[in-house]
Amino acid sequence: MAESLKPFLTSFKSYLVKQAAAFEKEVRKAAKDAISPRGKYIRPILVFSAALDGAGKKSLIRRAAIAELVHLSTLIHDDVIDNADMRRNHETAFKKYGTKTAILLGDTIFSHMMSLAFEENSMDVLKKTADCVKTICEGEIKQTLADKTKIVSRKKYYDVAYGKTAALFELSCNLGATASDAPKEWIKAAEEAGKQLGIAYQIYDDICDWFMSESDAGKTLGTDLITGKQTYPLIVLLEKLPAKKSAALAKNLPHESPGEIVEMMGRFDVANDCKNEFLRRIDSAEKVLKKFPAENVKLLKFCAEMRGLKFG
């Protein structure tokens, strides 16, 4: 997938790095470190994949940068919340500069992202982007304030997953689809596909946190357990356990042994259940997209790439 988009991604990476020049010289190095190309560029790829042939390259690249900078600014804040030392096999801004500077750096990158959105000269782009950031922040607050001693339902989890990940996938698809004079039906379909793929990706990320090594994941793992967050694998396990055991585990989550929990997950085949839901969400995205054979080729390729993700 990335190979077919190589010309766009090359231009995008160059454009992204140049954004560091917009910051004051005292901030420039920290900003450049934070936005230097080293990720998978999932959100920019979604922008390009949802776009039709009439979309202008300059606008598409800027829209891809908007999506990626929203992502990067939230990652910086997430690392502060989770006390994470490593991200993408590099030290986090939190580890390098401490809490205060990392928070301000994330805010500064977010502010610059909004200036790029303004350059698109579109109230729709501005509103959609602002609404997405609001949703992401509210989702994190809701998860933080939730009573962590109570068992989280799947419905509640999907709501959290939308705020944490799927809202930005949805925005990325919108930014691509609206970069040209696209049919409204295609824009809605692309948004819905983005939402389903985003929930699928959050499930995948949760699985990695339980079953993948830090060296393979390239980031600090296990932070969800320490903070008492009930992610998808744990929710599936809690559903399978006897009621008393499930309630006790949820109540004492931060004090439980990760190894013992992983062992229980193995006994109850939790990873397979999680993978099935991951694939079901991709099926839902593909079902929506297949109604648009003239527009769907690139997004269907993205779906196929997601199916090939390794689980641990």
Side-chain angles (χ1 to χ4, degrees):
M1 180 72 186
E3 187 64 29
S4 64
L5 293 173
K6 193 172 182 179
F8 269 115
L9 285 174
T10 299
S11 298
F12 163 74
K13 291 176 188 178
S14 176
Y15 180 83
L16 190 65
V17 170
K18 289 177 181 176
Q19 299 313 301
F23 297 88
E24 294 292 329
K25 63 180 181 179
E26 294 87 354
V27 183
R28 204 166 294 155
K29 183 182 184 304
K32 187 174 182 180
D33 285 346
I35 67 178
S36 288
R38 38 174 101 103
K40 302 182 189 76
Y41 306 114
I42 293 172
R43 293 141 196 90
I45 288 173
L46 279 172
V47 174
F48 298 141
S49 298
L52 303 185
D53 291 340
K57 183 177 179 180
K58 183 178 179 181
S59 177
L60 262 185
I61 289 171
R62 183 162 52 222
R63 287 170 181 239
I66 290 167
E68 184 67 3
L69 290 177
V70 170
H71 178 54
L72 292 175
S73 63
T74 58
L75 286 185
I76 293 171
H77 288 158
D78 284 349
D79 290 336
V80 173
I81 293 168
D82 295 335
N83 292 313
D85 294 337
M86 186 172 68
R87 170 82 64 179
R88 296 172 177 173
N89 292 312
H90 287 75
E91 282 188 332
T92 61
F94 164 71
K95 174 69 172 177
K96 284 182 181 178
Y97 310 115
T99 300
K100 290 181 180 180
T101 300
I103 290 173
L104 291 169
L105 179 61
D107 291 346
T108 304
I109 291 173
F110 164 73
S111 298
H112 179 65
M113 174 278 300
M114 287 304 296
S115 72
L116 294 182
F118 181 79
E119 288 179 22
E120 278 296 294
N121 196 30
S122 165
M123 286 302 297
D124 190 57
V125 168
L126 283 169
K127 186 174 189 324
K128 290 278 188 182
T129 303
D131 287 347
C132 176
V133 173
K134 178 173 175 283
T135 297
I136 292 170
C137 294
E138 287 179 338
E140 190 64 45
I141 292 170
K142 285 191 289 185
Q143 189 175 38
T144 301
L145 295 180
D147 183 349
K148 295 178 177 60
T149 65
K150 294 184 178 179
I151 297 173
V152 175
S153 67
R154 292 199 189 201
K155 184 178 183 300
K156 182 67 176 178
Y157 170 84
Y158 298 140
D159 179 58
V160 171
Y162 176 74
K164 289 183 70 172
T165 303
L168 186 48
F169 273 51
E170 183 179 83
L171 174 68
S172 299
C173 288
N174 171 275
L175 291 174
T178 58
S180 63
D181 189 19
K184 289 182 179 179
E185 294 79 8
W186 168 245
I187 296 170
K188 289 181 179 179
E191 288 177 338
E192 178 60 24
K195 176 183 176 180
Q196 296 301 325
L197 292 170
I199 293 173
Y201 194 79
Q202 184 58 55
I203 292 170
Y204 171 74
D205 194 58
D206 290 348
I207 294 170
C208 289
D209 198 69
W210 280 102
F211 299 107
M212 189 177 286
S213 68
E214 288 196 353
S215 58
D216 288 338
K219 63 178 182 178
T220 302
L221 298 178
T223 57
D224 290 330
L225 179 62
I226 293 168
T227 55
K229 292 177 183 176
Q230 295 179 31
T231 57
Y232 200 74
L234 193 63
I235 290 169
V236 172
L237 176 63
L238 291 172
E239 289 178 350
K240 291 173 176 285
L241 290 172
K244 287 186 178 180
K245 174 68 174 174
S246 180
L249 181 59
K251 187 175 181 179
N252 299 300
L253 194 56
H255 308 293
E256 296 289 338
S257 165
E260 290 180 8
I261 294 176
V262 170
E263 188 273 330
M264 283 191 288
M265 287 180 177
R267 279 193 281 123
F268 287 99
D269 203 17
V270 166
N272 189 59
D273 280 17
C274 293
K275 187 173 182 179
N276 287 339
E277 178 62 17
F278 167 83
L279 293 173
R280 189 183 75 80
R281 291 287 173 169
I282 297 177
D283 288 342
S284 296
E286 290 172 336
K287 184 178 179 180
V288 171
L289 294 172
K290 285 177 180 177
K291 297 176 183 178
F292 300 87
E295 296 93 353
N296 68 15
V297 176
K298 290 181 289 185
L299 272 179
L300 283 178
K301 284 183 179 179
F302 184 94
C303 292
E305 290 282 334
M306 276 195 66
R307 285 184 181 278
L309 290 172
K310 294 181 180 179
F311 289 77

